[in-house]
Amino acid sequence: MSTLEQVHPRLYTTPTAPLPFLAGVVVRSFLLEREAGNVLVYNSPGIDAAHEEITRLSAPERLLINHWHEATYPAPRLEVPTWVHIADKARTAGTLAVAGTFDGRERIDDDLEIIPTSGHTAGTTTFLWDSGQHRFLFVGDSLWRHRGRWQVVLLGESLRAEYLASLRLLLNLDFDVLVPWGTDAGDPATFPMTRSDARREIEELIRRVESGADE
């Protein structure tokens, strides 16, 4: 039985795993099939569950971590260099061997952009991938659909002013599929969105965060 599901052309998702500290929520990892070399986004136990199929497609060159909470899960058995924002390196390195860090906005080849979006944690980072057919925005926990609506995740360590600045940055990015790390169990792995729908949802999130809301 296949453990790696193709959810869009050149984009695959691993099996889900429960999020230990939030009942009813599951997390996934994603494999980006790229001519310049495959990449994994997000750490989760699903990498181990699908490691044979991941390797069969072509061993990934990097595992990109959105934020240090992904180090809640052990390092995958698959040997792949892990990259994380420098501000989240120390807490990630407690579980995952960090091979490299990023700080500012930069590109991996012509199709994959690294966009620091501090707020949920100091080092939270978004990844924008142009597959040739879609522009996928991997936002981690910066925004996600929970209990039927889009929400942010502001915790004790979160930075409200930086979160607002990052949401305003996301507001102006050109993407058509949103890809969070966690979803409610039973929800799809990805969320196609028109530009107008994305702007409306993010603008509403900005209003809620400005008003003092934490989700």
Side-chain angles (χ1 to χ4, degrees):
M1 185 176 73
S2 176
T3 56
L4 195 64
E5 179 187 359
Q6 185 172 10
V7 288
H8 293 276
R10 300 173 60 196
L11 181 68
Y12 299 80
T13 180
T14 66
T16 61
L19 191 64
F21 43 84
L22 193 55
V25 174
V26 297
V27 296
R28 303 170 173 85
S29 300
F30 293 85
L31 179 70
L32 286 52
E33 191 174 22
R34 305 168 59 244
E35 291 180 5
N38 292 356
V39 167
L40 282 165
V41 175
Y42 307 144
N43 183 47
S44 79
I47 295 176
D48 281 351
H51 75 278
E52 290 184 3
E53 290 175 275
I54 291 170
T55 303
R56 195 176 302 131
L57 279 173
S58 182
E61 296 186 346
R62 300 191 194 200
L63 169 60
L64 300 180
I65 300 296
N66 170 266
H67 68 297
W68 76 265
H69 297 162
E70 295 170 45
T72 298
Y73 299 102
R77 287 180 292 153
L78 187 71
E79 291 188 9
V80 54
T82 297
W83 288 67
V84 68
H85 191 282
I86 193 167
D88 276 11
K89 177 184 177 181
R91 302 188 80 168
T92 301
T95 303
L96 307 174
V98 177
T101 60
F102 29 80
D103 188 358
R105 195 164 174 171
E106 60 184 86
R107 286 186 173 274
I108 301 175
D109 307 307
D110 295 329
D111 61 329
L112 182 55
E113 188 172 6
I114 294 168
I115 307 169
T117 46
S118 177
H120 176 62
T121 68
T124 295
T125 303
T126 294
F127 310 107
L128 179 61
W129 178 46
D130 186 348
S131 72
Q133 293 181 285
H134 293 287
R135 290 176 62 82
F136 297 99
L137 193 68
F138 298 86
V139 290
D141 287 350
S142 290
L143 55 128
W144 66 313
R145 188 169 178 82
H146 182 46
R147 296 173 181 167
R149 69 169 186 164
W150 288 102
Q151 298 184 17
V152 297
V153 184
L154 274 154
L155 305 174
E157 69 175 295
S158 299
L159 308 164
R160 189 174 295 270
E162 285 84 346
Y163 216 137
L164 280 167
S166 294
L167 287 171
R168 293 186 181 105
L169 174 60
L170 296 178
L171 185 67
N172 295 303
L173 293 179
D174 179 16
F175 66 94
D176 59 3
V177 183
L178 194 69
V179 191
W181 180 45
T183 65
D184 289 342
D187 275 3
T190 67
F191 298 87
M193 304 183 77
T194 65
R195 187 74 181 274
S196 60
D197 285 346
R199 287 189 64 86
R200 183 178 65 252
E201 295 289 354
I202 296 172
E203 285 170 349
E204 173 60 24
L205 291 174
I206 291 171
R207 284 192 289 270
R208 294 212 300 265
V209 174
E210 286 177 331
S211 73
D214 293 335
E215 59 179 33

